Amino acid sequence: MTFTPRIWCNRVVNTPSAMRRLPLGSTVPRGWMRAQMRRDLATGFAGCLDALSPHVARDLFRERLDDATCHAGWWDAESRGNWLWGYTMLGHLSGSVDHRTRADALVRELRATQDADGYLGIHSATARYPSGDAENGELWAQSRAILVLLAHYELAGEAASLESARRAADLTLTKYGPGRSHFGRHSTQSDRTGQTHGLCFADALEMLHESTGDHRYRHFARWMLDDFDAWPVPFPNDDLAAANLADPERPLRGHAVHTVEHLRALAFGGAQDASRLHSALRKLRLSATTSGAVIGDESLHGLPAPGAGYEYCTLTELTFSLARLAQHLADPGLADWLERLVFNAAQASRSADGRAVAYLCSDTRLDALTSRPDSYSLLSGRHGRFKLSPTHDDVACCCNPNATRLLPHYVAAMWMRCSDGPALAAPAYGPSELHTVVDGQPVAIVQDTAYPFEDEIRFTVTVGAPLRMRVQLRRPGWAAAARVEGATHREDNAWISIERSWRGSTSFVLRLDQPVVAGRYPGGDVAVLRGPLQFVQPVPHRSRVLRAHSREPWCDQELLPADPEDVAAGLPVLECSQPDLGLTVTRDSRGDPDDPWSDPPLRLLGGGFELVPIGAAPLRRAAFISR
């Protein structure tokens, strides 16, 4: 049985015209997801990254730069901004009171750096708002600060954070526009990393538009995309420029992080041009592995083979983009992709205790050595992206700050409001609790489940007063069957709808039939998939400390096979003609349900071998042979 994920197909499904994002904090995690967030804050690097890395500790919003064109001068603003954004979301969503309190204080310190005219950024008065062909990180750095403030407004309810964000954006809107471009006007191969990151100012504009309803923010996002498209190609990170997307034969070849993050600007700034967004997704799928990752080490090139590298920054930005695109397109296939990415590649690239991530990782990982080259090290001679580290500040402290954002972005995408009536949709699943208001009435929905390690999700819907409402559940593309027990429902292709008058509390169960199926890597090797999880053969490993940080027990480390013979061992042979590929599903409830990646409760057994979820195997084989 061969598996063709719906996310790889151009399948037309009947969906709502669009969905609307609910404010951050409407959905909060429970179960293993909340436990992972709390563990990351209490004993992982997420809670203390500003003490571990000088790049995160440095506050450019306070210090200010006198040169707006210095290559990568803006970098520490990215590191600090992304960490504070993720830290604020983690503290509030996890309910960790100490970290939430500290995050609130740090956000207020950020607000205090704002000038009287509204400027919130990293440049001194003589260096602000560079234009045209100069490399700069002005809008990129501003977007990081504004997104911190808007997340804080939604989570903490402090109107001062919204007002600060709005004043900063309103000032920037007066500095660019027709007649004064942000992006270049001459084709170049010179580095423009900060400048092209600046298209993500659209993220801040979209959140402002959602919070205020002010259409100026959408209009400016449209202008930014037009300004980006007016830059003559080629230029760095131009994969999603209109001229390149119009050429179906041109492969993606830019910095993978830029390519996936620019999807959001297409979705918001170019919302009326869905064909362009679909063109971008068609190209991107060709670079996606079965674990959900888009390859890029750091540039996009080659095929998504089992050993191809992918970057943690790309995983986070793709998570955020897929959540936004699922909202704009109401496409359940994008939510399938979102789940596969978060539950597989993202978990496989981090240590289960939250103490380190791999800057670059791959589906098959037989070692994690600092000496392994990547496309950037071939030019610079600096290696180290494949090791595990709490900072990676010897190469670039970008992936660790971004890692703090990944799970909060997923949680925020688990419930959305439908635009076609009093209705709520669940694009993604996991242990969680939703609190919102529908037609003036408070609504709470609990997902009681160990998903993705469990095949059923128990829903309890509680309303404050009788309410006519539709609850819409995604039918996963990988599910052989999806059954609702305890509520009358109808299936509309890829959605399951329960529309009724709700009173008090009502419970029902969604049961998902998850066969074991084969995915394919480009060379024909087989990947083993069950539901949203990919299964791999673990390779016993040992660790070797490379560098001790100033604070114990933090260190950079390599992973090596415990025994070279483990690597030389032959691959298991899968019986692809047999049901479940000839594998037996086994469950073990003896482990810690709050830490399923350390001791997975779900495993697959074959003839003399065992497979576990990819996130539970620091070293592993992900590709197999079949007969």
Side-chain angles (χ1 to χ4, degrees):
M1 181 177 184
T2 300
F3 177 65
T4 304
R6 185 168 62 212
I7 57 176
W8 308 148
C9 304
N10 296 319
R11 175 181 172 186
V12 177
V13 297
N14 297 323
T15 63
S17 57
M19 295 187 287
R20 296 198 299 275
R21 183 183 67 87
L22 293 166
L24 288 169
S26 301
T27 305
V28 295
R30 297 176 57 165
W32 73 262
M33 289 199 295
R34 181 175 61 188
Q36 179 169 305
M37 286 185 176
R38 289 181 171 178
R39 193 162 50 246
D40 286 355
L41 288 169
T43 58
F45 64 77
C48 60
L49 191 55
D50 56 335
L52 294 172
S53 170
H55 301 287
V56 175
R58 187 183 181 198
D59 189 353
L60 289 179
F61 299 101
R62 185 182 303 278
E63 294 178 17
R64 306 284 174 83
L65 300 170
D66 292 326
D67 183 359
T69 63
C70 176
H71 171 60
W74 42 266
W75 205 321
D76 289 349
E78 171 193 305
S79 297
R80 184 170 182 82
N82 277 329
W83 170 73
L84 184 52
W85 184 12
Y87 182 58
T88 300
M89 292 190 290
L90 283 173
H92 280 267
L93 292 175
S94 69
S96 301
V97 176
D98 291 345
H99 290 284
R100 181 182 65 202
T101 301
R102 181 171 179 248
D104 290 348
L106 290 171
V107 173
R108 293 175 193 129
E109 290 178 11
L110 174 63
R111 290 201 314 249
T113 68
Q114 189 165 32
D115 291 352
D117 65 355
Y119 181 76
L120 185 69
I122 61 172
H123 294 130
S124 63
T126 58
R128 294 172 188 171
Y129 305 109
S131 178
D133 290 317
E135 158 67 347
N136 73 86
E138 176 72 272
L139 294 189
W140 174 234
Q142 284 192 37
S143 73
R144 303 304 91 184
I146 292 173
L147 287 164
V148 170
L149 294 173
L150 293 173
H152 184 248
Y153 164 67
E154 293 187 357
L155 290 163
E158 288 193 16
S161 287
L162 173 61
E163 178 61 19
S164 177
R166 187 165 192 173
R167 290 177 62 226
D170 288 353
L171 179 64
T172 298
L173 264 60
T174 68
K175 303 298 182 180
Y176 294 105
R180 182 173 173 80
S181 67
H182 169 71
F183 297 107
R185 285 299 176 266
H186 300 93
S187 180
T188 180
Q189 292 297 332
S190 298
D191 194 288
R192 293 289 188 271
T193 303
Q195 195 171 16
T196 47
H197 269 315
L199 189 57
C200 288
F201 193 72
D203 294 333
L205 296 171
E206 183 166 16
M207 283 193 73
L208 277 166
H209 181 261
E210 292 169 332
S211 294
T212 67
D214 191 333
H215 292 297
R216 291 180 305 128
Y217 301 123
R218 181 180 287 281
H219 297 328
F220 192 78
R222 173 74 255 184
W223 172 83
M224 283 190 67
L225 188 58
D226 290 342
D227 191 50
F228 182 76
D229 290 337
W231 195 344
V233 297
F235 59 87
N237 309 313
D238 61 1
D239 278 342
L240 302 194
N244 288 331
L245 282 179
D247 180 0
E249 301 302 318
R250 182 193 181 277
L252 301 177
R253 58 190 181 207
H255 185 206
V257 177
H258 278 81
T259 301
V260 301
E261 73 188 12
H262 286 172
L263 287 168
R264 302 191 295 272
L266 265 62
F268 182 54
Q272 73 281 8
D273 188 5
S275 62
R276 179 176 176 182
L277 194 54
H278 286 295
S279 175
L281 287 169
R282 280 194 297 272
K283 289 190 175 188
L284 202 62
R285 290 185 188 107
L286 299 177
S287 296
T289 75
T290 57
S291 68
V294 167
I295 61 171
D297 68 339
E298 298 187 17
S299 59
L300 264 162
H301 60 91
L303 296 173
Y310 42 78
E311 184 180 351
Y312 210 102
C313 280
T314 307
L315 303 180
T316 294
E317 295 297 351
L318 183 58
T319 297
F320 191 22
S321 289
L322 289 173
R324 277 298 193 181
L325 267 59
Q327 168 192 341
H328 285 285
L329 300 177
D331 182 349
L334 294 173
D336 287 351
W337 190 350
L338 174 66
E339 284 191 351
R340 192 169 299 283
L341 170 68
V342 170
F343 296 148
N344 295 283
Q347 297 293 337
S349 301
R350 52 168 276 148
S351 61
D353 59 11
R355 290 189 175 274
V357 299
Y359 188 121
L360 294 178
C361 196
S362 54
D363 287 0
T364 287
R365 184 165 71 170
L366 300 179
D367 56 45
L369 301 179
T370 192
S371 58
R372 178 177 170 181
D374 57 79
S375 60
Y376 276 28
S377 66
L378 296 176
L379 298 174
S380 68
R382 297 176 63 194
H383 297 72
R385 288 176 170 86
F386 284 92
K387 69 176 183 296
L388 279 83
S389 172
T391 65
H392 284 286
D393 56 8
D394 59 327
V395 179
C397 188
C398 55
C399 287
N400 297 73
N402 261 336
T404 65
R405 294 169 41 204
L406 188 138
L407 203 52
H409 286 322
Y410 180 81
V411 170
M414 293 177 70
W415 283 101
M416 296 184 187
R417 191 183 303 277
C418 299
S419 60
D420 59 347
L424 296 168
Y429 299 126
S432 61
E433 186 168 348
L434 167 72
H435 289 273
T436 188
V437 174
V438 177
D439 271 4
Q441 298 300 326
V443 175
I445 305 180
V446 171
Q447 292 188 42
D448 176 22
T449 182
Y451 188 90
F453 303 98
E454 186 178 2
D455 299 350
E456 71 175 41
I457 305 165
R458 296 163 293 279
F459 292 86
T460 299
V461 179
T462 303
V463 296
L467 175 67
R468 184 77 183 180
M469 176 182 67
R470 185 175 80 250
V471 174
Q472 191 163 285
L473 310 176
R474 169 181 131 263
R475 187 191 189 284
W478 41 257
R483 298 179 296 278
V484 173
E485 300 175 4
T488 302
H489 63 282
R490 71 175 191 277
E491 287 199 35
D492 188 5
N493 206 346
W495 292 99
I496 300 169
S497 294
I498 304 170
E499 187 166 8
R500 54 173 289 171
S501 294
W502 304 84
R503 295 174 179 271
S505 292
T506 305
S507 297
F508 58 90
V509 179
L510 174 64
R511 301 187 190 278
L512 300 169
D513 185 359
Q514 304 185 27
V516 180
V517 296
R520 294 285 177 179
Y521 284 104
D525 293 331
V526 174
V528 176
L529 307 168
R530 184 183 187 275
L533 291 174
Q534 179 171 354
F535 285 77
V536 300
Q537 183 182 36
V539 174
H541 72 280
R542 61 186 176 89
S543 62
R544 179 167 63 197
V545 173
L546 296 168
R547 175 174 72 111
H549 289 250
S550 58
R551 291 181 50 170
E552 293 184 351
W554 304 100
C555 64
D556 291 3
Q557 59 182 312
E558 295 180 315
L559 300 182
L560 302 93
D563 186 334
E565 292 187 3
D566 293 329
V567 176
L571 283 173
V573 177
L574 301 175
E575 302 289 347
C576 286
S577 62
Q578 299 297 316
D580 290 330
L581 310 184
L583 301 172
T584 301
V585 179
T586 65
R587 299 181 184 277
D588 188 344
S589 60
R590 290 174 297 178
D592 183 354
D594 284 343
D595 190 11
W597 305 104
S598 293
D599 187 9
L602 190 65
R603 301 167 187 257
L604 303 179
L605 298 182
F609 61 90
E610 178 182 76
L611 306 183
V612 301
I614 189 172
L619 296 185
R620 68 262 174 174
R621 293 182 180 89
F624 308 99
I625 55 178
S626 63
R627 62 185 175 194

